[in-house]
Amino acid sequence: MELSDLIDHLNSRKPLFDESQAKNLLRGFANEAQRITAELNSSYHEPGEVRKLFSRLIGKEVDESFCLFPPFYADFGKNITIGKNVFINSCCCFQDQGGIFIGDDAFIGHRVVLATLNHGIQPSDRVSLYPAPIIIGSKVWIGAGAVILPGVSIGDNSVIAAGATVTKDVPTNVVVGGVPAKVIKNIKEEPRC
């Protein structure tokens, strides 16, 4: 099994069972992600160096407009897709096996957790992994300390309040907050003065 086969398996939302070939391959890429994030987080790097390290982590080049403030943590790295003008603040944790897709002009605050895996509920199934993607639209702002759970899509222009736990899809042009997150208000484009 190659990386592309593993990503296809994960993106199909098929579970990974203990001691499967896919799960063993996943462990190897987790070790690689640890090495790259340790290098990224160990000392100061110029913005271009940060982009190069992040590109190595995800296995594809990020746009020059991408900005990341380390430290940053990922336990796979190879299933992250980043748009243009994306900003990720410090101490974020991306569990990306199920796929993380971030649209253009998105802002991600301090200590945001994006979790794309779940475990089986039954004790006998607890070691199984169930992947589901997180899709973040364009011009989304995710506030500090928010947690986005597997399978969630966030519509364009929406805001996730600091500390929110998002368990369900978020429509476009809204502010959500709370645990679990609920719509607080609609966003209407107002002209600039």
Side-chain angles (χ1 to χ4, degrees):
M1 177 178 266
E2 301 291 323
L3 175 60
S4 61
D5 300 318
L6 175 59
I7 290 175
D8 287 345
H9 181 96
L10 292 164
N11 288 344
S12 71
R13 296 186 178 204
K14 292 178 187 170
L16 295 168
F17 300 108
D18 196 38
E19 299 310 317
S20 68
Q21 184 181 13
K23 202 165 182 184
N24 289 330
L25 185 60
L26 198 58
R27 286 186 187 111
F29 283 105
N31 289 335
E32 180 183 323
Q34 289 174 25
R35 283 190 301 275
I36 295 169
T37 56
E39 184 179 348
L40 175 67
N41 299 335
S42 65
S43 63
Y44 174 77
H45 300 282
E46 293 291 330
E49 294 172 295
V50 170
R51 284 192 298 275
K52 283 181 185 174
L53 285 165
F54 195 85
S55 294
R56 238 177 69 209
L57 174 68
I58 68 172
K60 51 194 164 235
E61 195 168 329
V62 293
D63 190 77
E64 272 187 30
S65 61
F66 173 72
C67 183
L68 168 72
F69 288 177
F72 175 82
Y73 305 94
D75 57 0
F76 180 54
K78 301 301 185 216
N79 209 1
I80 299 172
T81 302
I82 303 283
K84 295 180 179 178
N85 296 312
V86 170
F87 172 71
I88 300 173
N89 218 322
S90 60
C91 298
C92 289
C93 297
F94 285 16
Q95 180 195 49
D96 65 291
Q97 291 88 338
I100 294 173
F101 306 89
I102 302 175
D104 294 342
D105 303 305
F107 295 155
I108 300 178
H110 293 90
R111 297 181 347 270
V112 167
V113 174
L114 304 180
T116 67
L117 287 180
N118 236 327
H119 291 279
I121 298 295
Q122 297 301 318
S124 59
D125 191 36
R126 198 71 41 88
V127 296
S128 298
L129 301 174
Y130 294 88
I134 292 173
I135 301 168
I136 299 169
S138 296
K139 296 185 179 181
V140 167
W141 174 19
I142 301 176
V147 176
I148 315 298
L149 295 181
V152 168
S153 292
I154 301 172
D156 293 346
N157 306 315
S158 288
V159 175
I160 309 303
T165 298
V166 184
T167 61
K168 295 179 182 172
D169 289 353
V170 175
T172 61
N173 298 304
V174 297
V175 177
V176 300
V179 179
K182 295 181 177 140
V183 174
I184 296 171
K185 68 178 182 176
N186 291 314
I187 298 172
K188 294 179 183 172
E189 187 73 35
E190 296 179 10
R192 288 184 157 176
C193 296

